[in-house]
Amino acid sequence: MKFDIITIFPKVITEYLTVGVLSNAIKKGIVEVNVHDLRKWTKDNHRSVDDTPYGGGPGMIMKIEPVYDAIKELKKQNTVVALTTPKGEELNQKKLMEYSENTDLHMIILCGRYEGFDQRIHDNLVDYEFSIGEYVLSGGELPALVLVDGISRLLPGVLGNEESLVSESFNDGTLEYPQYTKPEEFNGWKVPDVLLSGNHKEIASYRQSLKKSV
Ligand code: ADE
């Protein structure tokens, strides 16, 4: 599975890719993530990626030319071109699972900035517009990472313990039960007795009773 992330702040993305589950997935060759600076596709001296809106109004709009050239260079036959926007379809676990099932997936993710993209980008160049929630962030870098992380960790061989996916929150429509580790007591706060009992049947029914439905 391959992701090409286009951003004006590549550093934000690359740092996250160096730690934890995603870093392992990349090292194992299960996912490939390439990060591109959108300014690479600018042609003017100022390397501009944004400009003022026609008709007036506040803020700056992301220009179509560098985005068009970037997609033209990176897009293959079956590429999904995704774009981050608070107005997009809200991301959820079901969608992440759908994408994770397509192991040949190649996705280009365009990270929004400023007041958004020139509408012609939405209309002509993009297949999937997604939001990570009903709030507005200052850019699409975090949403892009959310998408890549959320898909990658579902791929076979990425998480060390496949078991952790099976019982995991959301996948079975429930939120996981509370977990504890050593010490048995801290600051007067105790681990529930049933978890120390060694009685697997009781532990299982205790955990089941504390799962919340979503
Ligand atoms: N850009 C700004 N806010 C966003 C959000 N909530 N989801 C996706 N992209 C965004």
Side-chain angles (χ1 to χ4, degrees):
M1 189 172 288
K2 181 172 157 183
F3 297 94
D4 282 293
I5 304 179
I6 304 172
T7 167
I8 57 169
F9 295 117
K11 265 200 299 191
V12 176
I13 309 274
T14 47
E15 191 62 29
Y16 188 80
L17 303 177
T18 64
V19 297
V21 168
L22 253 181
S23 150
N24 286 334
I26 293 166
K27 278 191 205 127
K28 287 182 188 166
I30 300 169
V31 265
E32 180 183 333
V33 187
N34 303 306
V35 186
H36 309 273
D37 187 341
L38 178 61
R39 293 188 201 280
K40 178 180 153 193
W41 287 279
T42 55
K43 292 180 179 132
D44 61 317
N45 288 340
H46 293 106
R47 307 185 80 203
S48 24
V49 290
D50 60 322
D51 209 334
T52 52
Y54 278 120
M60 301 291 273
I61 309 298
M62 292 189 77
K63 291 165 68 63
I64 192 168
E65 300 101 311
V67 171
Y68 180 86
D69 287 343
I71 292 174
K72 195 166 146 201
E73 183 174 328
L74 299 172
K75 193 173 169 168
K76 310 265 172 347
Q77 209 153 35
N78 290 317
T79 303
V80 175
V81 180
L83 174 155
T84 65
T85 164
K87 289 188 257 175
E89 176 187 324
E90 198 167 302
L91 193 60
N92 56 30
Q93 192 66 19
K94 187 165 164 258
K95 195 79 188 175
L96 296 175
M97 287 173 80
E98 259 171 53
Y99 278 125
S100 76
E101 277 154 24
N102 176 7
T103 43
D104 289 334
L105 181 69
H106 174 223
M107 187 182 264
I108 296 175
I109 308 174
L110 284 169
C111 300
R113 278 274 155 185
Y114 312 115
E115 296 299 311
F117 294 93
D118 185 305
Q119 184 60 35
R120 290 167 291 187
I121 296 174
H122 297 271
D123 293 345
N124 301 293
L125 303 178
V126 171
D127 307 303
Y128 172 52
E129 305 196 356
F130 73 98
S131 153
I132 59 162
E134 288 184 23
Y135 40 79
V136 180
L137 302 168
S138 46
E141 286 73 19
L142 292 173
L145 282 171
V146 166
L147 182 64
V148 173
D149 185 299
I151 295 173
S152 301
R153 62 189 295 286
L154 295 174
L155 300 174
V158 170
L159 290 185
N161 183 0
E162 300 289 327
E163 176 81 1
S164 62
L165 269 185
V166 175
S167 69
E168 185 176 85
S169 315
F170 292 113
N171 285 349
D172 64 355
T174 60
L175 293 170
E176 232 168 76
Y177 45 76
Q179 301 266 38
Y180 300 84
T181 186
K182 295 176 200 70
E184 278 182 34
E185 182 174 338
F186 175 77
N187 214 15
W189 304 319
K190 290 185 178 156
V191 173
D193 286 340
V194 58
L195 297 178
L196 310 172
S197 69
N199 183 332
H200 298 300
K201 225 173 133 186
E202 273 185 30
I203 291 172
S205 76
Y206 162 84
R207 286 179 166 166
Q208 196 56 39
S209 74
L210 289 182
K211 277 192 170 187
K212 281 200 189 127
S213 294
V214 282

